[in-house]
Amino acid sequence: MTSTVAQTGVAGNAVPSVGRTYQVRTYGCQMNVHDSERLAGLLEAAGYRRADDGADADVVVFNTCAVRENADNKLYGNLSHLAPRKRGNPDMQIAVGGCLAQKDRDTILRKAPWVDVVFGTHNIGSLPTLLDRARHNNVAQIEIAEALQQFPSTLPSARESAYAAWVSISVGCNNTCTFCIVPALRGKEVDRSPDDILAEVKTLAQAGVLEVTLLGQNVNAYGVSFADPTVARNRGAFAELLRACGRIDGLERVRFTSPHPAEFTDDVIDAMAQTPNVCPALHMPLQSGSDRVLRAMRRSYRADRYLGIIERVRAAMPHAAITTDLIVGFPGETEEDFAATLDVVRQARFAAAFTFQYSKRPGTPAAELAEQLPKAVVQERYDRLIELQEQISLDENRAQIGQTVELLVATGEGRKDNLTARMSGRARDGRLVHFTADRETPARPGDIVTATVTDAAPHYLIADAGILTHRRTRAGDMHEAGQRPNGVGLGMPGVGQPTTTAGGCR
């Protein structure tokens, strides 16, 4: 544990936390989004209340990401914007947590001395105490734990949605990809027991949640390193977990992110295909189509193996939508290497791809490689990749025209929904669909509708022929009433402490 203080002042002028408002600003992956729900739950349990939209909050919490190089600039830019507010209202507090806080530690206070609290990825449960301590002593608090202290799912939660929920099945990662800083910041993989996960999912379903997304840095490695040392390693645990989720009453959709191609096995494909509520959607990071670059990245698979997985998934689920992550401009990438990536993209026919220009991250092996590519070269290749993938996405989406899709109505996913009188929802395969709403009986977020696809764009589908069916749900009732399944936080009381022997999905 690293715990230091700075920024001295006059102690004893504490302002009570009860009634103070908060805002959590989240950057990065789904794990961060879920961590932010926990942070919000902790603050509400401590007496804070969420600030109204557009209102200045008494406490602003930044939950940061460190994967991309511009994460640093984004954080410090936003902190600078808050500096005048802090000077005008010394009782306001600013906290910085997450991966960038774990990485930068003392640097944050050196660059932004008006920050009150810095906390890491392993001790998010400490936030209310650190805020109280900083406020009481008028001294900034830094607390960075070097290892996981408490599994996040044991903490209270203020969930964002009445109809969809994140469920963490593991934290950390045992891979050593040379471009990735996450293992250094999140630590080694620690898995929850199946009993704990299923108890949380069942509680969510009983509260009306229709869809859960199982989260982990490498979900298909689940079962390798249970936090409870009495639970045996089980390579088939993830497939068993998917099948067990299929037996939970009221749970209509199960998703997961993200798997790793090196450990993606056929038992998971079978479980996906044979479990009705597991969605026909797979996000499988490729990163590069060049075997030489994959080797330099320490990605322990090659292009042929990756394409073989895609082929087997489509054989089992012909209509599955497959998405991916791609990195352009990894150090030493040649034009031949990039051409290999384009070739795999053409063969895989991804529904969508999250494409990134390589970002040099201090502390990663790739940052020390000599052949860092010029920005102009990376940009030109990136533009070509985007052009190819956009055309493939458009073609794949146009193939959906005329199909009937089942949509879980969502909140605010279409930027132009108000202008077009449309609403938005997600199909079972994860595609975003904008549909014409019924003005007399409008669907609510959390309801289920069916509609026919009438048009397509690279990033979404359109269904303008009217709603075919509309099922009002308890999730829709809860959303309409402004209710959320808050307080769901089941799991181990602490890492390494024995729990009930797992058996829920064996």
Side-chain angles (χ1 to χ4, degrees), residues 25-346:
R25 302 184 186 182
T26 309
Y27 308 106
C29 66
Q30 294 94 334
M31 297 287 285
N32 270 23
V33 173
H34 188 37
D35 283 349
S36 289
E37 292 182 330
R38 299 293 175 191
L39 292 170
L42 285 161
L43 291 172
E44 292 183 8
Y48 297 83
R49 60 180 177 82
R50 190 187 302 251
D52 294 334
D53 291 344
D56 290 339
D58 297 313
V59 176
V60 178
V61 182
F62 292 90
N63 189 13
T64 64
C65 173
V67 171
R68 307 293 301 159
E69 189 173 10
N70 66 0
D72 306 56
N73 297 333
K74 181 180 290 186
L75 171 66
Y76 293 117
N78 286 324
L79 290 176
S80 295
H81 290 153
L82 289 179
R85 274 187 55 201
K86 178 71 173 178
R87 287 194 297 268
N89 178 15
D91 290 335
M92 176 199 177
Q93 289 186 290
I94 302 170
V96 179
C99 290
L100 195 62
Q102 188 82 19
K103 178 177 77 73
D104 281 359
R105 306 182 182 215
D106 298 334
T107 304
I108 292 173
L109 280 184
R110 190 174 70 248
K111 291 186 175 182
W114 53 91
V115 168
D116 298 276
V117 170
V118 179
F119 63 101
T121 59
H122 299 309
N123 61 316
I124 64 176
S126 302
L127 177 60
T129 299
L130 294 172
L131 287 168
D132 286 346
R133 192 186 303 162
R135 192 165 57 248
H136 182 272
N137 297 335
N138 199 22
V139 176
Q141 303 292 310
I142 305 177
E143 186 170 292
I144 306 291
E146 302 300 334
L148 190 66
Q149 294 182 318
Q150 186 178 27
F151 205 93
S153 294
T154 67
L155 302 173
S157 172
R159 295 187 183 267
E160 292 292 330
S161 172
Y163 51 86
W166 311 103
V167 175
S168 179
I169 70 171
S170 66
V171 294
C173 182
N174 293 340
N175 293 315
T176 58
C177 302
T178 57
F179 58 82
C180 185
I181 199 169
V182 168
L185 304 179
R186 291 277 183 177
K188 292 291 186 180
E189 181 174 330
V190 180
D191 299 330
R192 294 174 73 191
S193 78
D195 284 347
D196 292 324
I197 296 166
L198 293 173
E200 181 175 356
V201 175
K202 288 175 183 175
T203 303
L204 288 165
Q206 289 167 1
V209 169
L210 299 177
E211 175 180 298
V212 298
T213 301
L214 306 177
L215 289 179
Q217 302 296 154
N218 181 5
V219 292
N220 54 311
Y222 173 74
V224 170
S225 178
F226 287 116
D228 181 353
T230 68
V231 180
R233 176 174 177 158
N234 176 11
R235 283 285 186 183
F238 185 60
E240 294 172 10
L241 183 64
L242 291 177
R243 292 183 186 277
C245 285
R247 297 190 289 271
I248 295 177
D249 290 340
L251 184 62
E252 299 193 18
R253 296 184 177 192
V254 178
R255 304 186 188 278
F256 59 88
T257 192
S258 290
H260 192 291
E263 298 177 87
F264 198 80
T265 50
D266 288 349
D267 64 336
V268 174
I269 299 174
D270 293 340
M272 291 178 68
Q274 296 165 10
T275 308
N277 66 355
V278 175
C279 294
L282 176 64
H283 183 74
M284 180 74 78
L286 170 62
Q287 309 302 5
S288 174
S290 163
D291 288 350
R292 194 187 69 82
V293 172
L294 288 171
R295 193 175 298 110
M297 289 178 167
R298 290 188 198 153
R299 301 284 290 180
S300 48
Y301 57 88
R302 300 297 174 256
D304 282 350
R305 170 170 170 72
Y306 184 95
L307 289 170
I309 293 171
I310 301 303
E311 183 178 350
R312 293 196 299 278
V313 168
R314 288 199 168 122
M317 296 171 286
H319 301 300
I322 299 174
T323 58
T324 196
D325 294 336
L326 294 163
I327 295 174
V328 178
F330 186 81
E333 180 190 75
T334 65
E335 180 60 31
E336 183 180 7
D337 294 324
F338 179 66
T341 295
L342 296 179
D343 184 55
V344 173
V345 168
R346 291 187 188 97

Side-chain angles (χ1 to χ4, degrees), residues 161 163 407-414 417 423-426 432-433 435 443-447 479:
S161 172
Y163 51 86
L407 307 178
L408 175 55
V409 182
T411 305
E413 294 221 37
D417 283 357
M423 296 186 70
S424 298
R426 293 279 171 177
L432 176 63
V433 182
F435 64 93
R444 307 162 302 175
D447 285 350
H479 178 87

